[in-house]
Amino acid sequence: MDYQAGSFPLGRIFGIPIRLHCECSLVASHCCLLGVQQHNPDTFSTPCTTGLFLLFLVLQVLASIRPNSLWPLYWFLILGPILLVTVLLHELGHCLAARSVGGTAHSILLWPLGGLAYIGSHNKGPKADVWVAVAGPLTHVPMTAFWVLMLLVATYVAYGTTHITLVWPAYLTIHNLGVAVCVGAVVLNISLFAFNLLVPAYPLDGGRILVGSLLSCGVAVRTTALITCGLAVPLAIGIIVFGGRSLDFVHYMGAH
């Protein structure tokens, strides 16, 4: 399957072509609508197609100019540029790690399920595979540190203190919008780090780490495949079930 069909180029970073899939707009717009309607039930809620996505974003940002209606702008920032940049840096981690072990990085695709790094093979063995897989989640460590630092600054500007908490402001204003955005970015990075590193379901990063680790320890390929499948199937079912409830998390984020 050609996952790059329906995508358009964004440019190059370190010589690696970056592409964005058009369907990202459908997912982001739907999540934005749920998050916004949690606080502004009367806001613009016409179902969005890809062609209307930019119009949707413009309307939501303009709507946030009104008093007590900054949640559209908050969700636009979290599910728009912040999420895309976070996923992009994650995939760049994979690409640069692949290059460091003699592999190649062909391109990166940002699509509704996250990101795809198109990486060429190398001959350094399973330990190198583990390093390439781990490098993606590890990018969330400096990103989390960055957003914690920004949260310190935003909290001081908004409240005159450096005492920070990962709690969304009860009432969103222009003064504490930066605090809310930084909290959302920190939670986003911690969640992606934990999910990618700790869920051993192939082809997720955790599954690739598991496969590489088993092969590095001398486990037979067939046994490794059976273990991987045995874990991946129930985890996949769990992820599907979680996906059905994931939109509730958007409400949870918005309600705190």
Side-chain angles (χ1 to χ4, degrees):
M1 180 182 296
D2 184 10
Y3 294 106
Q4 299 205 35
S7 65
F8 56 90
L10 294 179
R12 290 174 176 265
I13 299 179
F14 300 120
I16 304 170
I18 313 297
R19 301 186 65 87
L20 177 67
H21 201 285
C22 295
E23 290 182 1
C24 285
S25 61
L26 298 177
V27 177
S29 59
H30 183 59
C31 291
C32 282
L33 282 171
L34 290 177
V36 168
Q37 289 175 342
Q38 179 71 15
H39 304 275
N40 300 281
D42 60 339
T43 192
F44 176 80
S45 59
T46 303
C48 295
T49 64
T50 300
L52 293 177
F53 178 57
L54 291 178
L55 175 62
F56 165 81
L57 292 181
V58 170
L59 290 175
Q60 292 292 8
V61 173
L62 289 177
S64 69
I65 298 175
R66 297 178 302 156
N68 302 320
S69 60
L70 288 171
W71 288 109
L73 180 58
Y74 168 83
W75 286 109
F76 163 71
L77 292 173
I78 292 295
L79 298 178
I82 291 177
L83 178 60
L84 286 178
V85 171
T86 299
V87 173
L88 174 58
L89 292 177
H90 177 110
E91 299 305 325
L92 279 173
H94 289 309
C95 291
L96 296 179
R99 284 181 173 180
S100 72
V101 296
T104 56
H106 301 299
S107 64
I108 293 174
L109 173 65
L110 304 175
W111 70 318
L113 295 181
L116 286 175
Y118 291 82
I119 296 173
S121 60
H122 58 81
N123 58 0
K124 298 297 179 64
K127 289 184 179 180
D129 289 335
V130 172
W131 162 238
V132 174
V134 169
L138 286 181
T139 61
H140 296 291
V141 175
M143 283 192 280
T144 300
F146 169 80
W147 284 112
V148 169
L149 179 61
M150 291 298 99
L151 179 58
L152 281 169
V153 175
T155 301
Y156 182 79
V157 171
Y159 307 122
T161 178
T162 56
H163 176 70
I164 63 174
T165 60
L166 294 182
V167 177
W168 283 266
Y171 300 98
L172 194 61
T173 68
I174 193 65
H175 300 291
N176 60 22
L177 175 63
V179 175
V181 169
C182 291
V183 169
V186 171
V187 172
L188 173 67
N189 275 278
I190 293 175
S191 301
L192 290 176
F193 173 83
F195 179 78
N196 282 279
L197 197 62
L198 302 179
V199 179
Y202 198 89
L204 298 178
D205 293 337
R208 295 179 181 275
I209 293 169
L210 174 65
V211 170
S213 299
L214 290 174
L215 293 175
S216 297
C217 293
V219 178
V221 174
R222 176 178 173 79
T223 303
T224 298
L226 291 175
I227 293 173
T228 302
C229 292
L231 287 172
V233 171
L235 284 172
I237 295 174
I239 291 173
I240 292 173
V241 173
F242 175 79
R245 300 182 58 84
S246 61
L247 295 180
D248 292 336
F249 178 68
V250 174
H251 287 279
Y252 173 80
M253 288 179 64
H256 287 70

